[in-house]
Amino acid sequence: MSGFSNIATFKHGVHPEEFKSFTDKLAIERMPFVEDYILPLGQHIGAPSVPLVKKGQSVKRGQMIANAGGFVSVALHSPVDGKVQAIELAETLTGKMVQSIKIKTDPYSSQLLSSSNPGDYRNMELDEFIKSVQSSGLVGLGGAAFPAHVKFKIPEDKSCKIMILNGCECEPFLTSDHRVMAEYPEDLINGAKILNHFVKAEKIYIGIESNKPDAIAILNKKLENESDWIEVVPLEVKYPQGAEKMLVTAILNKEVPSGKLPLDVEVLVSNVSSIAALSQWFETGKPLIERVVTITGNAIKRPANMMVPIGTSMREVVNYCGGLNTENYRMLLGGPMMGMVQRTLDIPIVKGTSGLLLLTEDNVSTMDEYSCIRCGRCVEACPMFLNPSVLGMQAKKGLWEDMKDNYVMDCFECGSCSFVCPSHIPLVQSFRVAKGILREQKAKKALNNKGNE
Amino acid sequence: MSKQRKAIISTSPFLHDKATTPTIMMEVVYTLIPLVALSYYFFGLGALLVVVASILGCMVTEYVFSSGEKWKKLKDGSALITGILLGLCLPPGFPLWMAFLGGIVSIGMGKLIWGGLGQNVFNPALVGRAFLQAAFPAAITTWNAPTFGSGWFSLNGTNAALPFLQAENVDAMTSATPLSKMKFDHDFGSATDQALGIISGSLGETAGVLILLLGIYMIWRKIIHWRIPVAILSTVILFSGLFWLINPTIYPDPIFMLFTGGLMLGTMYMATDLVTSPITPKGQWIYGVGIAILVVTIRLWGGLPEGVMYAILIMNAVTPLVNKFTKIKPYGYK
Ligand code: SF4
Ligand code: SF4
């Protein structure tokens, strides 16, 4: 695997315009403290956190205010010194109402971090380490917000030979991972060391798309004096290079079997920003109370990469970035390929918010739909080698079972097919619907079977 | 439906590739313009009018008989392509009313009765051409010798024939096409003449080299699938070359095979029709090789001098099957 003469990549995929120049050269700024914070208890995948504080109680910046609500769940910490205003329902992503802890900032506080020292990881057993990570509130910062410790706990019957740190950031517009790699390279390398103390992979690759030459150069420089346990792999700029399966294929030339995880081929993939945050927890005791968010798009006056305390209202962040250029904007969370539309700015930044996209209407495609002309562009785009053309026709007719036979469950909703389709057929959009229906049917069947037993 | 559409569009992805179905179709139209111009130059005004008549037949039918937003249907440009292609594979002296009728049949029988764009099994232009061949076997085999730029304003006498009146063929320069010469006289003519288009034949058949270049351009622009032309042309060379090596006095050489008749036009513009060719890579190879073998077989041993049309129509018919049996293996099923 040494000496990449040919730049590593996967087969198929698409080349959307990158739009990274808005922010890719901008150093990370700090978002100033604001008056109010809203911390939803369920901002990660899994069980919601359980509050440890009461209304009216004073809290410190970095203090744990909610505990993990199960193994697949993480702790939550206060981003500021202040007072608990309320624990009540508040609007969060996609308009959902969830239980949240509301904190009013203490305006006279110095906001110094007060955190318990997690202790030296070198003296920890695996279980202690996993518990410690869980109590730091760490989740995957790439967007999925899956509890990091769950991923780090390799099941007994599996092993991890290779670790891949995912610095692709293949979604257009987003630059937060890029800036973290460029500005916190030591944290990334140290985090890899800490994690590998427990995971014991033979080799660690840092996969970075080659449109981030500065990050690649900085990391290579920092790694000069290291032995070859860790190596930077420049990757072709192609979407969705950062999808776990594609990344494993690009770097190791292996396929992850259908329905399985990279770990089933002895690979652990983790986002670079999460690994940097892991290091900060063990080195300084700072739990996950802030993260880097890219605020970008043509509708924002001053695009920026910002270190934002979790719980800050998006409106505050937008105002800090000079406000909006236009009344007619569309707001997305995450990148334009897989991100979610957001209705209002009055929701908090959460742990999984990697980017806040404010697009003018002309950025957004709303075009006439034509019939499928079987041009095959979707087939040549799909990184999973599915046939979106056939799936699309079956979706129009509601043939869910046929779609299942055509592997729709293997679709990971990257959107490449819809991106290329010249007839603007809502392909991935209808696959999401089909997958939902198929999942529901399966659950119903399982329930019926149980009832019959 | 429109309400639902809106809801769907407001989910990701929010970026879109620039190419749209109308732009792709229009790009094909642009590549056809030089061909139409060339046939005008070679065969005079009559040739141009034949193309215009068949375009009109196609567009009028599309507009009148398609449901829903009529102008939008025309906007996708596919009827225009069908019209030009049909016109290009008709003789320059062809009665205009027949060309118009051919256009109607192309769109009506070749596309609309199947459910419109994307639903048809057979290439519409070839459906129209097959109809005309069956209905007017005499007119469609009357070829004119090229006039080389001297016919800018002159019609072929037969162009103006009125419907169902037997037109007298007043054109004295009628000559046999190279393929029928080959077939019936074993006279192969000059390959350079054929490649450059200085021979008689239907409009678009006479400029093999130009069509080849346009095809390469379309492949480069990713408008057509590269595998189909590569499969057809290489199989024709190998298959006919084999017989030529065995007995060059009976069998024509491969270059002759490539540049005569409708092979080049059929390969680049009809076999590669996106709608009626397989979508899977393996399917495209099978389809291309199949067309080539049929063409050579019909040309060398069949009862007709030319087999491109039937070869493509036959392979169109098996395309749904080919698609079915050449499923792509998804990622993760090794
Ligand atoms: S890209 Fe669109 S038009 Fe082309 S084959 Fe796929 S679904 Fe059909
Ligand atoms: S079918 Fe699914 S996996 Fe394939 S390109 Fe479309 S969204 Fe991506």
Side-chain angles (χ1 to χ4, degrees), chain A residues 371-378 388-389 420-423 425 427, chain B residues 279:
Chain A
S371 308
C372 170
I373 53 168
R374 297 195 225 159
C375 64
R377 287 171 190 232
C378 53
S389 161
V420 290
C421 177
S423 286
I425 299 168
L427 297 167
Chain B
I279 200 169

Side-chain angles (χ1 to χ4, degrees), chain A residues 245 249 255-256 258 336-337 339 341 369 371 373-375 377 384 407 410 418-419 421-424 429 432, chain B residues 5 8 10-14 16-17 20-22 72 75 117-118 222 225 274-275 327 330-334:
Chain A
K245 290 183 175 182
T249 305
E255 280 192 11
V256 180
S258 168
M337 296 297 285
V341 192
E369 186 181 335
S371 308
I373 53 168
R374 297 195 225 159
C375 64
R377 287 171 190 232
M384 294 305 285
Y407 312 101
D410 285 288
S418 295
F419 170 80
C421 177
S423 286
H424 306 124
Q429 295 88 334
R432 285 193 198 111
Chain B
R5 179 90 46 83
I8 288 174
S10 65
T11 61
S12 54
F14 294 93
H16 206 284
D17 204 13
T20 69
T21 293
K72 202 183 125 190
K75 218 173 78 187
L117 180 64
K222 299 207 167 116
H225 299 299
L274 297 168
V275 173
K327 281 212 178 117
Y331 177 100
Y333 285 83
K334 283 251 158 76

Side-chain angles (χ1 to χ4, degrees), chain A residues 382-384 386 388 411-417 428 431:
Chain A
C382 179
M384 294 305 285
L386 309 183
C411 164
F412 66 97
E413 303 171 22
C414 69
S416 301
C417 48
V428 65
F431 305 162

Side-chain angles (χ1 to χ4, degrees), chain A residues 96-347:
Chain A
K96 243 196 319 202
M97 302 294 287
V98 295
Q99 280 292 333
S100 306
I101 301 178
K102 296 187 172 170
I103 295 174
K104 183 139 235 115
T105 308
D106 174 359
Y108 305 111
S109 155
S110 62
Q111 299 296 0
L112 286 177
L113 184 70
S114 69
S115 162
S116 55
N117 184 351
D120 191 340
Y121 68 92
R122 275 161 283 229
N123 304 328
M124 288 182 182
E125 294 293 318
L126 175 64
D127 278 345
E128 289 173 75
F129 168 74
I130 296 295
K131 269 218 184 82
S132 177
V133 175
Q134 184 177 26
S135 73
S136 79
L138 188 61
V139 298
L141 296 177
F146 187 74
H149 67 280
V150 181
K151 205 170 195 180
F152 296 165
K153 189 172 161 101
I154 313 275
E156 300 265 310
D157 55 334
K158 301 215 167 105
S159 63
C160 167
K161 284 224 174 86
I162 309 272
M163 197 145 87
I164 298 178
L165 307 185
N166 187 352
C168 290
E169 202 160 45
C170 58
E171 274 269 14
F173 285 102
L174 301 188
T175 55
S176 57
D177 286 343
H178 178 178
R179 293 315 308 178
V180 168
M181 289 188 285
E183 296 181 44
Y184 298 93
E186 287 99 351
D187 285 356
L188 175 57
I189 295 163
N190 189 47
K193 245 180 221 163
I194 295 173
L195 181 53
N196 210 30
H197 182 78
F198 297 96
V199 168
K200 301 193 171 58
E202 289 160 11
K203 176 99 196 198
I204 300 178
Y205 295 106
I206 309 177
I208 308 177
E209 276 193 351
S210 53
N211 57 358
K212 306 170 192 45
D214 52 340
I216 294 173
I218 290 166
L219 279 165
N220 272 331
K221 187 139 201 325
K222 297 278 173 201
L223 290 174
E224 251 170 14
N225 302 321
E226 297 283 343
S227 63
D228 58 1
W229 65 281
I230 183 163
E231 185 182 329
V232 174
V233 185
L235 297 156
E236 192 198 341
V237 181
K238 185 162 81 169
Y239 180 85
Q241 189 72 262
E244 280 197 349
K245 290 183 175 182
M246 303 310 119
L247 193 55
V248 169
T249 305
I251 296 183
L252 304 172
N253 202 14
K254 278 191 202 182
E255 280 192 11
V256 180
S258 168
K260 301 274 166 128
L261 296 170
L263 207 49
D264 292 290
V265 290
E266 304 187 298
V267 184
L268 182 72
V269 183
S270 185
N271 163 276
V272 286
S273 294
S274 312
I275 298 298
L278 179 75
S279 165
Q280 289 172 2
W281 166 244
F282 282 103
E283 298 305 327
T284 68
K286 186 179 89 179
L288 191 68
I289 52 170
E290 53 190 20
R291 67 154 301 152
V292 181
V293 182
T294 306
I295 294 101
T296 183
N298 327 20
I300 188 93
K301 287 229 172 81
R302 192 175 64 81
N305 297 299
M306 302 263 270
M307 182 71 86
V308 184
I310 306 293
T312 309
S313 147
M314 293 187 182
R315 188 173 299 281
E316 297 272 12
V317 179
V318 166
N319 287 343
Y320 185 73
C321 291
L324 295 162
N325 281 327
T326 157
E327 293 280 290
N328 267 335
Y329 66 97
R330 193 178 300 220
M331 175 183 168
L332 302 183
L333 292 183
M337 296 297 285
M338 290 182 86
M340 279 183 300
V341 192
Q342 193 55 55
R343 195 172 59 79
T344 165
L345 279 169
D346 295 306
I347 51 164

